[in-house]
């Protein structure tokens, strides 16, 4: 259940962020956002751990900030898989979206999801 909630939250974040970056980040519909969120969650399970292990020295030197770059890479892979319904113009945009999504997910987890457990 928590996985589905995470997919819906990421889909809502995709649509909201696409509204702010109209020229460089495009999501054609909410259904496309759900599809992209689903693909991103699968990539986070399968590809992200491999990338983290391969880039561990760089991640340690940058004190974990390189994880944002890994998140941007997974967003770029999601963009390639989704085709025209989910477009990220550049790696810089993907990096900015990855940072915004990470901060938003952290806030949502701490404020909304954690108190709901109690």
């Amino acid at each position: 259940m928590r996985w589905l909630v995470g997919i819906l939250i990421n889909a809502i974040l995709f649509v909201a962020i696409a509204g702010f970056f109209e020229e460089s980040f495009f999501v054609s519909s909410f259904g496309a956002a759900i599809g992209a969120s689903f693909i991103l969650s699968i990539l986070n399970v399968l590809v992200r751990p491999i990338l983290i292990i391969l880039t561990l020295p760089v991640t340690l030197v940058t004190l974990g900030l390189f994880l944002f770059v890994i998140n941007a890479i997974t967003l770029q892979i999601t963009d390639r898989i989704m085709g025209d319904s989910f477009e990220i113009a550049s790696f810089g945009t993907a990096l900015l979206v990855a940072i915004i999504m990470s901060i938003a997910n952290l806030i949502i987890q701490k404020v909304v999801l954690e108190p709901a457990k109690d």
Side-chain angles (χ1 to χ4, degrees):
M1 185 69 177
R2 186 174 173 99
W3 180 69
L4 289 174
V5 171
I7 287 178
L8 286 175
I9 289 172
N10 280 341
I12 292 168
L13 286 173
F14 280 147
V15 172
I17 294 170
F20 286 111
F21 302 108
E22 293 176 359
E23 290 85 29
S24 57
F25 184 53
F26 172 74
V27 179
S28 65
S29 66
F30 188 70
I34 290 176
S37 180
F38 180 74
I39 290 171
L40 183 63
S41 69
I42 291 172
L43 289 173
N44 281 338
V45 169
L46 299 176
V47 175
R48 191 169 183 261
I50 296 168
L51 291 175
I52 289 172
I53 290 171
L54 290 176
T55 61
L56 191 59
V58 176
T59 303
L60 290 174
V61 169
T62 62
L63 302 175
L65 290 177
F66 196 76
L67 292 174
F68 290 125
V69 174
I70 292 172
N71 290 342
I73 290 169
T74 57
L75 280 172
Q76 290 282 31
I77 295 170
T78 303
D79 173 27
R80 299 288 187 255
I81 293 171
M82 284 294 295
D84 292 336
S85 60
F86 183 83
E87 289 290 328
I88 300 174
S90 66
F91 184 76
T93 303
L95 185 61
L96 188 59
V97 169
I99 293 169
I100 292 170
M101 286 189 66
S102 296
I103 292 170
N105 276 321
L106 178 70
I107 292 170
I108 290 169
Q109 282 183 348
K110 293 296 179 190
V111 174
V112 178
L113 297 179
E114 296 249 338
K117 285 183 177 178
D118 296 338

